[in-house]
Structures are given as C-alpha cells and as structure tokens.
Amino acid sequence: MEVATGKSVLGDIVIGRIRIYKPPKPEISDRMIENTQIEIRRFENAREQAIGRQNTLYEKALVDADKDGAEVFSAHVMILEDETLIDTIRESIRSRKYTAEYAVKEAFDKQAMVFAKMDDPYIKERAADIYDVEQEVLKELLGIDHMDFEEGTEPYILTAKDLTPSELIRLDKSLLLGMITQEGSVNSHTAILARSMGIQMLVQCQEASEEWDGKEAAIDGYHSCVYIEPSAELAASLKKRHDEELRQKALLQELSGAPDTTIDGTNVKVYANIADPSDIGSVLHSGAGGIGLLRSEFVYLNAEAYPTEEEQLNAYRLAVETLAPKQVIIRTCDLGADKQADYMDMKKEENPALGIRAIRLCLTHKEFFKTQLRALLRASAYGNLGILFPMITSVREVRACRKLLRECEEELKQKGVTIGSYRLGVMIETPAAVLIADELAEECDFFSIGTNDLTQYTLAIDRRNAELDPFLDIYHPAVLKEIKMTIDAGHRHGIPVGICGELGADPALTETFLRMGADEFSVNPGGILPLRKRIRAIDLSKKAVEE
Ligand code: PEP
Ligand code: MG
C-alpha cells in the first residue's frame, strides 16, 4: 500500500479506481506569417468561439455547481474581453508577424506571470484562470478537441497534473468520484468549484503518478492523503466512515434547509467548530448557521516559524469570506499546555494546564498577540466576524485584550487599512469566569461556554488523562449548574450565550440546555445534522421529563 499526501479541498472519503487524465498539450510554432490580416482574423474568430464556450460553461456550472461557482466563467469572459490584452496580441501579430497561437501564448503567459508573482494567494491564483483561458483559445486556434478524454461508464477518481475549471465543468459529474492533482491549490477556482459541487479533491499531491492508472485508491479528506491499493483492513474502516458520511448526507437531504427550531417554535442557532480551513467544505455541506469556534491554533501549529500577519490574514479571510454573510467566530491563539509549536520554544512548566496558556501567553507576548489581532481586524472587512478570547479568568484580562485591539485598530487606520465591524466574545471555561460572568458580560458582546475546559477546571480532572475516567462524571451537576449560571448572567446583560465544548453536541443534554436558555450551539461539522434532528424533536412547551 502506498500513501501520498496533499491538501484536501473537502473533508470527505472517496474510494474508487484511478483514471489518469492527460489532455493533449497544444504545440505552438514560432514560425513567422506573411498575411497578418488573416492571422488577426484567426485570432478574433478563436476569441469569439472561446467566449461562446465560456458562456456555455457558465450555464453548465449554474446547474452542476452554483451561482458563485459559475462566476468563474464570467471572469474568464472578462479576460477574453480585456482590451489591453487583445491589443497586445493584435500588435504582436501585426508588427512581429507572429502566428496567432504564438502571440496568444506570449501575451497570456506574461499576464499570468504578473499574477503569479503577487504575494496575495487569492490574486496569485488568478494566474491559473489566465492559463485556463489561454488553453481554451489555443485549442480553438489549433482545432484541438476541448474534451479529449474517454470517461467510460464506471465511476472513477481522476488523477492529473492539474485541472482547469473549464476541464472540470466539462466532465460528467455522475462518474466523477474525486480528483487528485499534483499541482493546484485549495484557493483555486477549480477547488472552489469542486467544493461547491461536493466533489472531493486532493491538490498538491506531488507523488501522484501515471503508474496509479487503474489502481484502487481511497482519498481520506480528513487526513489530506490518498491510499493506493489500501489494505483490506484499512479499506473496511474507511468504508465504514464513508458509509457514515452517506448516512449524514441522507440526513442532510431530509433536513436540508430545515430551520433549527423546536416543536414549540423556539429558534436556536447551530454553528460549527473547526480547527483548520480545510474543514470549511464540511461546514458548507452540513448547512451550519456559521462557524461558532474556529480554533486559530492551526496557523501556528502548521507553521515552521511565527506566522506573519499576512499569512494569518489569508487564513482567516478564507473562512470569513467563504462563509459570509454567516458569522465566523475566530478564537484567538489558545497555545500552551498540550498545544506547543517547536519554534516558540516555550518554557517547560510543572503544571502546563494551569500555566502560561491561551490568553496568558498572548498577554505576556504582546507583539506576538498584536500580529494576530491585526490580521483579525483586517479579516473583519470581508464578512461577519466574531473575535473570541480563551481562558479568561478576570475582567482585567478582557480589558487588556480590548486595549491591544484598540492599539491595533489605530495602527491599521493610520496605514489606511479598512476594518469592518466585529463582535467580541469571552470564553467561559474557567470556574472564575462563571463566578464573575455578570462583570464579564459588561465587557463583551457574547459568551461561548467551553465545556471541555470548564469540566477540567471545575472537577480538577486533567482532560487528557484517560486513567481519570472512573472519576469523571461528564454530567456533573457542578458543571451543569455553572452553565446555567453563565446563561442567566449573559441574559441579565442582554448578550447571547452559546455552548461550544463537546457537551453541546451531546443529544442527552440538548433539551436541558434549551430549557436553561442556551441561544447557540457550536459543534463539530459531523454533529450539526444529528443536533438539528434532536432540536426539531423537542417540545419546550411540555413539562420536562426527569431523567
Ligand atoms: C473547551 O474548552 O470546551 C473548548 C471548546 O476549547 P478547547 O477544547 O479548544 O480547549
Ligand atoms: Mg478550552
């Protein structure tokens, strides 16, 4: 069995046989031509044909994907109508007597290079669109078939060096199980289309090889890898998870568009918890109302050095922009204790869970924290952002965070950077925070109860030590009482209270939490639909049945 890694566009498992996609590359000759008029006409015809084809792909994408996905092809038409680009091509045919193919390739390649050199990964990605349009025009000029690929009749996993949006939209989606490409990126338009069509894609899988042709493979989108000829045992366990996904999808169909409302008409918000932007696809699939907890640790843990403001902005913006206008709550860095990044060289502590973690680390290293705050403030311009502070134990800490935020706002404003509006939240995950919840509520816009840490700190039970399981009562009345106290305090001050720890996904507690008045639940993407189902079966007008 061979394992290759890449970057996953969707959290999904796909099992099937690989087929290699290797489209013919247009051969471009640099010979000179005599009749420039004829050559310019050839270019104009090819350009018009390409515009027509892109308009057809737009219509097809509306059906196969969605409006946002289809916009890719409107953008392609705009490239084909770009006067500067057209003039450059006409001019090099006229004055340098280039063939239309050569002039097109030279002008488009130059334009693509400009984008490819940009720092912003979104703009950089537009180079791939220029390349796609270039290929479309060249195929018109050279009379090459736009879809030279026998799809056959069996479902398959397409494997290729790269895949353009035009190629993807032309494929028969009823046979396409998933895709693996050596190149590409999770921000590319091909990836965006794949996501909106719910088709798994593993990009930047450099080990992908033509030798895989015809082999059985399993893409594991949760671990961003592909197993070639997986062992029977692994295939069975992946199949089990895959079947669970299918069950979830069936549930989604059943509950698709259904509101998170109880029988008596109480509306609740159900959000997703994620720990990596690659989970965004699962959030969209699940029909969540937004992201209630984006654990930002991934920006530090996936890096080899301190992530820059720009790098962080790109990661946060991806989530905020993709989900807009839905809310995305990003929790500031919760490193320390079990989450360490080597390059930070943090001191070993006797008792790390009670040590320099989360907000304590950030308030100790203010410049480090301000880099994240500036990135968050900048991301606020792209959608509906909530900023959440973890491990708060005092009003002083919240005020210190707000002071740093104000400083960052000033710094950004002086540079003329646009900042959007955002909401500020406090995680209630220490007993201290529960006991001063009234005071904390005066300082913020919402509460999010982290039941994992709240249980750990209330019961003095290390959440990572399985040997303590006999002493752990996950329904301990002390923790439930704290949750009720927090909800009441929040409501006394007119702010909403959500539950984002694991208990929020526990169906045995949903009714209890609703009766306490919880406004929001934030659970792992896989837990959204079961929770929606549970909420919709509850009738709060009936007397609670004692368990
Ligand atoms: C919690 O403590 O309940 C929580 C949601 O945060 P984390 O699990 O990331 O500590
Ligand atoms: Mg926590």
Side-chain angles (χ1 to χ4, degrees):
M1 180 177 73
E2 185 183 344
V3 190
T5 55
K7 287 193 176 162
S8 173
V9 161
L10 275 184
D12 207 347
I13 287 171
V14 160
I15 303 175
R17 206 165 280 285
I18 290 201
R19 299 234 2 236
I20 301 293
Y21 174 68
K22 204 175 167 196
K25 267 216 147 303
E27 293 278 340
I28 313 298
S29 106
D30 59 355
R31 84 189 144 76
M32 302 290 187
I33 40 100
E34 290 302 323
N35 193 330
T36 56
Q37 282 310 316
I38 292 181
E39 208 59 13
I40 288 175
R41 216 169 308 128
R42 275 186 70 228
F43 162 63
E44 295 293 3
N45 283 342
R47 191 177 74 83
E48 269 162 35
Q49 292 291 331
I51 291 176
R53 284 189 195 270
Q54 291 297 310
N55 283 330
T56 310
L57 293 182
Y58 174 88
E59 298 298 331
K60 191 159 187 307
L62 277 183
V63 179
D64 286 1
D66 54 18
K67 180 107 177 45
D68 284 349
E71 288 304 331
V72 171
F73 300 100
S74 309
H76 285 186
V77 170
M78 280 163 70
I79 297 172
L80 286 162
E81 288 173 341
D82 181 333
E83 281 302 329
T84 321
L85 198 62
I86 299 170
D87 282 347
T88 312
I89 295 168
R90 282 198 199 112
E91 190 46 35
S92 60
I93 296 176
R94 201 175 291 124
S95 60
R96 291 148 85 188
K97 297 200 182 308
Y98 282 162
T99 59
E101 295 84 325
Y102 196 85
V104 164
K105 183 158 171 36
E106 188 191 61
F108 275 79
D109 282 356
K110 236 187 218 160
Q111 180 85 5
M113 279 292 273
V114 174
F115 284 108
K117 280 191 186 142
M118 303 273 188
D119 284 335
D120 185 322
Y122 293 87
I123 301 181
K124 214 183 180 89
E125 273 314 316
R126 302 298 73 90
D129 291 300
I130 309 263
Y131 174 75
D132 187 354
V133 178
E134 173 188 314
Q135 294 301 304
E136 291 289 302
V137 180
L138 290 177
K139 283 178 182 165
E140 292 296 341
L141 281 166
L142 297 165
I144 296 176
D145 203 340
H146 281 270
M147 196 68 234
D148 188 11
F149 180 58
E150 277 298 327
E151 286 181 274
T153 52
E154 294 296 316
Y156 65 95
I157 296 175
L158 177 142
T159 300
K161 186 162 181 276
D162 204 357
L163 196 71
T164 65
S166 303
E167 287 168 324
L168 171 56
I169 283 299
R170 285 191 179 107
L171 291 166
D172 178 353
K173 305 317 163 301
S174 66
L175 296 174
L176 188 61
L177 295 170
M179 295 168 283
I180 303 169
T181 58
Q182 285 178 325
E183 298 175 0
S185 92
V186 289
N187 297 328
S188 72
H189 275 150
T190 306
I192 291 168
L193 277 166
R195 224 177 269 135
S196 62
M197 292 189 287
I199 300 175
Q200 174 57 298
M201 184 173 192
L202 194 68
V203 298
Q204 291 172 28
C205 178
Q206 281 148 14
E207 294 114 301
S209 126
E210 286 183 28
E211 283 169 21
W212 291 358
D213 201 17
K215 292 188 177 168
E216 268 295 308
I219 306 179
D220 179 350
Y222 297 95
H223 298 101
S224 294
C225 65
V226 54
Y227 301 95
I228 306 300
E229 300 188 314
S231 66
E233 207 183 12
L234 178 67
S237 94
L238 288 171
K239 168 124 186 20
K240 193 161 161 240
R241 184 143 185 202
H242 179 59
D243 290 346
E244 171 58 20
E245 268 170 19
L246 290 181
R247 209 181 59 76
Q248 286 277 337
K249 276 185 190 155
L251 191 59
L252 176 61
Q253 290 239 302
E254 186 191 319
L255 296 171
S256 161
D260 296 307
T261 308
T262 58
I263 292 172
D264 58 291
T266 306
N267 285 315
V268 196
K269 294 199 172 87
V270 176
Y271 294 133
N273 289 346
I274 67 167
D276 197 288
S278 66
D279 297 331
I280 292 174
S282 319
V283 178
L284 297 174
H285 264 329
S286 69
I291 294 177
L293 173 66
L294 198 170
R295 294 176 161 103
S296 68
E297 292 78 70
F298 74 90
V299 286
Y300 305 95
L301 298 175
N302 294 351
E304 293 190 346
Y306 286 99
T308 62
E309 184 180 317
E310 226 42 53
E311 283 163 347
Q312 296 196 44
L313 167 66
N314 291 330
Y316 306 149
R317 175 178 164 181
L318 175 65
V320 172
E321 202 167 39
T322 311
L323 266 291
K326 291 180 177 173
Q327 173 167 257
V328 174
I329 297 176
I330 302 182
R331 181 180 69 186
T332 59
C333 167
D334 187 5
L335 289 178
D338 54 328
K339 287 176 251 165
Q340 304 272 351
D342 285 349
Y343 57 86
M344 283 190 179
D345 207 13
M346 281 150 80
K347 269 203 232 123
K348 272 232 156 323
E349 292 177 287
E350 279 288 316
N351 212 340
L354 304 182
I356 304 277
R357 66 168 279 205
I359 212 66
R360 302 167 184 182
L361 176 79
C362 292
L363 292 175
T364 311
H365 301 281
K366 294 204 171 65
E367 283 312 313
F368 160 81
F369 192 26
K370 281 175 76 177
T371 304
Q372 179 171 43
L373 294 179
R374 278 192 301 270
L376 287 168
L377 288 170
R378 288 171 66 187
S380 69
Y382 298 95
N384 182 355
L385 176 71
I387 300 177
L388 181 60
F389 298 123
M391 277 288 290
I392 292 294
T393 56
S394 71
V395 167
R396 195 163 42 90
E397 287 161 350
V398 184
R399 291 195 180 145
C401 293
R402 296 178 67 124
K403 180 166 175 281
L404 292 176
L405 259 177
R406 274 196 304 276
E407 282 175 28
C408 292
E409 273 191 35
E410 262 325 297
E411 286 164 22
L412 292 172
K413 276 184 189 151
Q414 277 183 7
K415 286 191 193 156
V417 176
T418 317
I419 300 171
S421 56
Y422 57 90
R423 294 164 69 236
L424 273 191
V426 165
M427 277 202 78
I428 304 293
E429 53 184 345
T430 62
V434 175
L435 295 174
I436 57 161
D438 279 292
E439 288 85 337
L440 290 173
E442 298 277 345
E443 305 288 327
C444 65
D445 305 311
F446 65 95
F447 279 160
S448 190
I449 305 177
T451 59
N452 309 336
D453 277 315
L454 188 57
T455 304
Q456 151 163 278
Y457 294 124
T458 302
L459 305 183
I461 284 190
D462 181 346
R463 61 192 267 193
R464 291 172 308 137
N465 187 346
E467 281 178 37
L468 292 169
D469 281 358
F471 300 95
L472 175 66
D473 172 5
I474 59 163
Y475 305 131
H476 198 293
V479 177
L480 297 180
K481 195 170 173 184
E482 285 174 322
I483 294 172
K484 172 77 173 122
M485 286 166 72
T486 306
I487 294 172
D488 288 347
H491 290 178
R492 272 195 293 277
H493 298 270
I495 64 168
V497 183
I499 299 175
C500 69
E502 294 302 310
L503 284 188
D506 189 333
L509 285 175
T510 313
E511 182 162 349
T512 308
F513 290 152
L514 286 176
R515 288 192 186 277
M516 287 181 183
D519 304 290
E520 296 162 10
F521 292 85
S522 193
V523 301
N524 292 332
I528 302 246
L529 296 176
L531 180 60
R532 174 171 297 160
K533 197 167 182 178
R534 179 76 194 102
I535 289 170
R536 293 173 59 80
I538 291 172
D539 189 348
L540 297 175
S541 67
K542 291 209 175 120
K543 223 170 133 7
V545 185
E546 288 297 327
E547 282 170 28

